[in-house]
Amino acid sequence: PVCGFSRKKDMIIFQSICLNISINFIFVFLSDNEILSAVESGQLNILKLFLEARADKNPVIDPGGFFSVLHVAAQYGQLNITKWYKEVLKFPDINPRDKSGRFTPTTMASENGKISLIKYYIEVEGNYIIHVRSVGSHLRQNLDSPYSIAKYAYY
């Protein structure tokens, strides 16, 4: 058999030709910081490559070990990623709590003023009030819905 490999930017392509059958293996080597950066900037194509071979489609990706892909996407207002989870992956829970149990993607979106994301969550999940951590220097105690917090944080 003839075997070889070549390095191309972020992937190593390994090609093996055995018995006149060509098999191409593409291994994607991305660091945690590259995945985090891709989600923060809404690069869905990179996220898809990262998740392709994983059983856990919503892994924790932040350096602190608490926030998943959906949390980070919500924090940065990446509606395309949230929609992909709901509409393409048919992900069963697009608003899960983080590892601490204190934050959800709607919490992250609300506290960062991502109104379009909150509107999408209300559209697909229903107009409900969820637990939102409404303490902090930029939030008022009387803000009790994700939408009102997002509006306040934005303005």
Side-chain angles (χ1 to χ4, degrees):
V2 178
C3 299
F5 71 91
S6 63
R7 180 151 179 95
K8 286 188 177 180
K9 198 170 181 185
D10 294 320
M11 45 182 96
I12 292 176
I13 301 172
F14 178 79
Q15 187 175 42
S16 175
I17 303 171
C18 302
L19 299 173
N20 295 328
I21 298 173
S22 176
I23 303 171
N24 293 316
F25 297 96
I26 299 176
F27 299 96
V28 179
F29 295 100
L30 297 171
S31 71
D32 291 344
N33 286 341
E34 289 171 314
I35 297 304
L36 182 63
S37 178
V39 173
E40 288 172 351
S41 60
Q43 295 178 17
L44 186 55
N45 55 342
I46 293 174
L47 178 63
K48 286 177 182 179
L49 283 174
F50 172 70
L51 294 176
E52 192 171 284
R54 293 183 62 102
D56 179 6
K57 298 296 184 196
N58 190 32
V60 171
I61 60 169
D62 82 297
F66 290 99
F67 303 129
S68 70
V69 171
L70 284 167
H71 290 89
V72 174
Q75 179 181 3
Y76 286 88
Q78 301 304 339
L79 185 58
N80 63 328
I81 292 174
T82 303
K83 282 184 170 184
W84 180 70
Y85 269 83
K86 180 70 177 176
E87 297 168 12
V88 178
L89 287 182
K90 308 289 186 206
F91 205 71
D93 183 8
I94 62 167
N95 197 35
R97 291 193 181 275
D98 73 337
K99 295 292 181 192
S100 74
R102 295 175 45 215
F103 296 94
T104 62
T106 52
T107 308
M108 306 295 281
S110 297
E111 292 187 3
N112 289 283
K114 306 306 179 188
I115 295 173
S116 62
L117 204 58
I118 292 301
K119 285 181 178 179
Y120 179 74
Y121 271 100
I122 290 171
E123 176 187 311
V124 299
E125 298 292 317
N127 190 5
Y128 59 91
I129 304 298
I130 61 159
H131 169 71
V132 175
R133 185 180 65 91
S134 59
V135 294
S137 60
H138 67 289
L139 299 175
R140 295 186 219 154
Q141 291 293 335
N142 64 346
L143 299 175
D144 60 353
S145 75
Y147 186 71
S148 64
I149 290 173
K151 280 183 64 175
Y152 178 74
Y154 184 73
Y155 295 109

